[in-house]
Amino acid sequence: MQNKINIQNKKARFLYEILDKYTAGIVLSGTEIKSIRSSKASIAESFCEFNEQGELFVINMTVEEYKYGNYYNHRPKAERKLLLNKRELKKLEKEVKNSGLTIVPLKLFINDNGYAKLNIALAKGKKLYDKRETIKDRDNKRNLDRVKKIYK
């Protein structure tokens, strides 16, 4: 059951050019992990940013309130701290400050040990003509697959 949780950010690969990927742990409360295990989370419009102390947080990640939770339930859009090595954090912070790159979450999953992990990527925003080219390539690939299927 644990490996079936696979929440993806489908827009990220369309809106951004992915440069580097990392896997980060997330600091969660008790009811948040229960909601994630029941696939009640979304990372569609979320992004990551650093605070003054150099810690990385994911912003706008929605984890719905746990259905059976009482007054100890969590806030759905709270900022959640990401756990990375100090060396990785310094590298990411330097890239974001100097190059103007963005950190976007790609995938939220639960690993074999039962911990929630977030795949994040250092990304550069695509221009409009890059997005059009992506759509054109996708359509060409789809048409080619149709032709191949007909003549098999």
Side-chain angles (χ1 to χ4, degrees):
M1 178 196 146
Q2 292 176 347
N3 292 336
K4 293 183 182 178
I5 285 70
N6 187 11
I7 301 162
Q8 294 186 350
N9 187 356
K10 295 178 182 177
K11 283 187 175 182
R13 296 190 190 278
F14 180 71
L15 296 175
Y16 299 98
E17 177 185 339
I18 306 301
L19 302 176
D20 204 4
K21 294 181 186 177
Y22 298 92
T23 301
I26 313 171
V27 177
L28 297 172
S29 68
T31 56
E32 288 175 328
I33 190 66
K34 291 175 183 245
S35 292
I36 290 173
R37 283 191 179 128
S38 60
S39 295
K40 302 288 185 190
S42 171
I43 55 172
E45 58 271 343
S46 59
F47 60 95
C48 302
E49 71 180 15
F50 288 93
N51 66 356
E52 297 84 32
Q53 290 83 23
E55 299 171 331
L56 187 63
F57 284 87
V58 62
I59 315 291
N60 273 350
M61 181 174 129
T62 305
V63 179
E64 291 182 20
E65 288 186 350
Y66 185 55
K67 184 177 176 182
Y68 302 108
N70 51 13
Y71 57 91
Y72 292 116
N73 229 338
H74 62 277
R75 293 190 335 243
K77 286 221 179 224
E79 296 179 358
R80 293 166 180 91
K81 184 177 176 180
L82 296 180
L83 305 171
L84 286 167
N85 292 336
K86 197 179 284 188
R87 154 176 42 87
E88 293 173 335
L89 284 172
K90 286 183 180 179
K91 180 182 176 188
L92 282 172
E93 191 170 18
K94 186 179 82 170
E95 289 287 336
V96 168
K97 283 185 178 177
N98 295 341
S99 306
L101 299 176
T102 300
I103 303 171
V104 291
L106 298 176
K107 180 175 156 185
L108 177 65
F109 65 97
I110 295 182
N111 69 358
D112 296 333
N113 296 333
Y115 296 116
K117 300 285 184 175
L118 189 67
N119 280 347
I120 59 173
L122 190 64
K124 179 182 173 187
K126 283 186 181 177
K127 303 285 186 201
L128 184 62
Y129 55 84
D130 290 333
K131 293 177 191 174
R132 288 183 187 141
E133 187 174 321
T134 304
I135 293 170
K136 186 174 73 173
D137 291 342
R138 191 179 343 144
D139 289 343
N140 288 340
K141 185 181 181 303
R142 187 180 308 132
N143 290 335
L144 186 64
D145 288 343
R146 283 183 190 150
V147 170
K148 285 181 180 178
K149 187 176 179 181
I150 290 172
Y151 290 111
K152 272 193 172 181

